[in-house]
Amino acid sequence: MALNREFVGRQYAAPATYEVSRVKIKEFAAAIGDTNPIYRDREAAKAAGHPDVIAPPTFPIVFTLTGAGEALADPELGLNYAMVVHGDQRFEYTRPIRAGDELVCVSTITEIRSVGRNEVLTVQSDVTTVDGEHVCTSYNTIVERGGAA
């Protein structure tokens, strides 16, 4: 069944801010196997010109789909999550995420389209500080296999 195109343009705010800590950054870096010291050591990060440790570039995946998860779980969208695979993911940064940031995320469904027998859905997540400073934008594309059939 095709996904509900009326969801394009809908925005979803994460239910709470996301507080970035050194521990969360270090755990994420360990989970992805990245040993870069700027993700683990405050002095190394400062030597590289950062005020504190910074997060690896893919770190926003930890929290960016929190708001959009509400949409993806909505039965009116028509998404069969059992048939979903990851399509694409990319990040555009204004500045690195760093320890001490308190972040707000608003996700927008920007596109739903059919490709062959599949449905493709793209979510754009804008990440800002609680003061409104833009930090990054995440783009996440998922594919529902056989959804357009």
Side-chain angles (χ1 to χ4, degrees):
M1 179 169 94
L3 297 178
N4 184 345
R5 272 35 177 191
E6 291 179 14
F7 276 67
V8 173
R10 290 190 188 180
Q11 291 190 326
Y12 302 86
T17 60
Y18 185 82
E19 295 181 23
V20 181
S21 70
R22 287 185 200 107
V23 171
K24 288 178 183 176
I25 292 172
K26 183 178 180 178
E27 289 173 346
F28 185 83
I32 64 170
D34 196 324
T35 59
N36 190 326
I38 64 173
Y39 305 145
R40 302 163 187 275
D41 182 284
R42 188 176 190 183
E43 294 310 313
K46 283 185 175 185
H50 303 288
D52 206 327
V53 296
I54 63 169
T58 56
F59 184 80
I61 197 61
V62 171
F63 60 88
T64 53
L65 287 180
T66 304
E70 176 186 340
L72 300 179
D74 188 329
E76 289 187 25
L77 175 61
L79 181 69
N80 178 355
Y81 218 79
M83 298 303 290
V84 168
V85 294
H86 186 262
D88 185 36
Q89 179 180 344
R90 65 187 170 91
F91 304 92
E92 294 176 357
Y93 278 88
T94 302
R95 68 155 174 87
I97 292 174
R98 51 189 176 237
D101 279 341
E102 188 173 357
L103 302 174
V104 175
C105 181
V106 176
S107 298
T108 305
I109 296 177
T110 57
E111 180 181 44
I112 299 174
R113 62 189 167 93
S114 297
V115 177
R117 295 175 40 92
N118 302 316
E119 289 287 89
V120 178
L121 180 144
T122 302
V123 176
Q124 174 182 317
S125 299
D126 294 305
V127 178
T128 61
T129 65
V130 292
D131 296 325
E133 176 190 8
H134 182 265
V135 177
C136 73
T137 300
S138 165
Y139 301 89
N140 193 323
T141 301
I142 62 171
V143 179
E144 180 190 29
R145 297 169 292 135

